[in-house]
Amino acid sequence: MERDILNKVIEAEKEVQDMLDREKKRAEEWVEKIKREIEEGVIREEEGVKDSFKKAEEDGIADAKRRASEIVEDATRDADRLAKISDDALKEIIMRHIVRILPVNES
């Protein structure tokens, strides 16, 4: 009888150990699954950040080109306007401002 009880206890311990082993394996599989999901999420986020950076860089370059083009157009317009000023008009402008450049002789 004691032997039967001992065998039943040993059998119950084996069943408990088997259940623990199965649960441990399930837990390990679950942890691995979560790790993969996290790694995939990190990779997706990293790609999203790279794409955002690339778009921002492209937008910045396009904006800089547009602004540079506007500056060149403005400068060209100003240069054309200034090139049309006659020599007489330039002399008149210079004479008006020459007083500021040259010292006044008060003798």
Side-chain angles (χ1 to χ4, degrees), residues 69-90:
S69 177
E70 289 172 358
I71 291 169
V72 169
E73 287 173 9
D74 289 346
T76 300
R77 248 190 323 275
D78 289 345
D80 289 343
R81 185 178 50 80
L82 292 173
K84 292 178 183 175
I85 298 175
S86 69
D87 287 347
D88 290 336
L90 287 174

Side-chain angles (χ1 to χ4, degrees), residues 9-87:
V9 168
I10 291 173
E11 207 173 290
E13 284 181 346
K14 284 182 182 179
E15 285 180 26
V16 168
Q17 186 60 48
D18 288 344
M19 286 189 329
L20 287 173
D21 290 344
R22 284 192 303 271
E23 285 303 313
K24 182 179 176 185
K25 184 176 179 182
R26 280 185 47 203
E28 288 171 350
E29 289 171 352
W30 180 79
V31 167
E32 286 302 314
K33 178 185 172 198
I34 296 301
K35 278 184 181 179
R36 280 192 307 275
E37 289 174 0
I38 290 171
E39 288 172 356
E40 290 169 0
V42 167
I43 289 169
R44 279 192 305 274
E45 286 296 318
E46 189 177 66
E47 289 171 356
V49 168
K50 285 179 184 178
D51 290 344
S52 294
F53 177 76
K54 185 175 181 179
K55 171 122 177 56
E57 181 182 33
E58 290 169 353
D59 290 349
I61 289 170
D63 188 47
K65 285 180 179 179
R66 180 188 52 76
R67 289 184 7 222
S69 177
E70 289 172 358
I71 291 169
V72 169
E73 287 173 9
D74 289 346
T76 300
R77 248 190 323 275
D78 289 345
D80 289 343
R81 185 178 50 80
L82 292 173
K84 292 178 183 175
I85 298 175
S86 69
D87 287 347

